[in-house]
Amino acid sequence: LIGYSMGAQTAKILASLLQYGNAAEQKADPNGCSGLFKGGRKTAVNSITTVCGTNNGTTFADDIMNFVTLFSGSRETTDRLAAAVLELWGVLSQGTGLTFLIDTRMDQWGLAREPGMTSVEYLSNVMQSNMWKSNDNAFYDMSTIGAKKLNATYKDNTNCYYFAYSAQAS
């Protein structure tokens, strides 16, 4: 596997799941659990090469969060500001032909954009979503704190070679 940027974490998680599985997923649906979550496939991935990967997170994500939180006063307010920016984009793009661009692809949060739904309606749903109360998002995973948690949760595949290539800019 080759992973670029956050793809580094994605590749590591995949290799870990293939070897170890996921007990919570197995418990949730013992009979219908996907093979991905059953584990036992430690030789499915021979090596992972990451290019500019967020293997241990990136201080850039931390810096952005800290900078915005400095002005907003709290993480919750920072998340609400991010949602407000999305909502503003939706309002400003009405009638411009750009409304098709706004679909966050966050169906797991119940945020599927329905046919005929305006950007304002869709972004209103985004603003009120429980996702803003969760760390289950890419921005958190790419922070140094989130990456540390991912690395603790998903162990290295013992049958896999890991290579990392870094760069000053990508």
Side-chain angles (χ1 to χ4, degrees):
L1 298 175
I2 298 173
Y4 171 77
S5 189
M6 190 176 174
Q9 292 173 322
T10 304
K12 177 190 171 129
I13 291 169
L14 174 61
S16 179
L17 288 172
L18 288 169
Q19 180 172 358
Y20 303 107
N22 183 291
E25 290 290 336
Q26 293 170 23
K27 184 178 177 184
D29 190 3
N31 298 324
C33 183
S34 165
L36 174 64
F37 300 117
K38 292 181 181 177
R41 298 177 60 201
K42 67 181 181 180
T43 60
V45 178
N46 293 318
S47 70
I48 295 175
T49 302
T50 65
V51 180
C52 300
T54 57
N55 300 301
N56 293 309
T58 171
T59 55
F60 183 65
D62 294 342
D63 291 344
I64 290 173
M65 179 64 81
N66 291 337
F67 180 75
V68 175
T69 302
L70 177 70
F71 294 101
S72 70
S74 72
R75 164 69 196 270
E76 288 178 5
T77 305
T78 299
D79 291 342
R80 300 301 288 171
L81 286 172
V85 168
L86 285 174
E87 185 174 31
L88 179 63
W89 169 255
V91 171
L92 294 177
S93 66
Q94 288 296 312
T96 64
L98 298 176
T99 56
F100 70 92
L101 294 175
I102 303 172
D103 187 345
T104 57
R105 304 279 186 221
M106 294 189 186
D107 298 15
Q108 74 272 23
W109 293 103
L111 296 175
R113 186 163 179 179
E114 302 298 327
M117 182 181 276
T118 68
S119 292
V120 173
E121 292 168 330
Y122 175 68
L123 290 172
S124 176
N125 290 346
V126 170
M127 289 286 290
Q128 296 173 28
S129 171
N130 285 331
M131 78 175 177
W132 301 108
K133 299 174 184 162
S134 169
N135 286 328
D136 186 12
N137 60 68
F139 191 74
Y140 177 78
D141 289 347
M142 290 194 311
S143 72
T144 56
I145 294 168
K148 185 175 182 178
K149 184 176 177 184
L150 282 178
N151 287 334
T153 302
Y154 298 98
K155 300 180 282 186
D156 288 343
N157 182 311
T158 57
N159 215 53
C160 184
Y161 293 97
Y162 292 87
F163 303 95
Y165 292 95
S166 62
Q168 188 173 12
S170 55

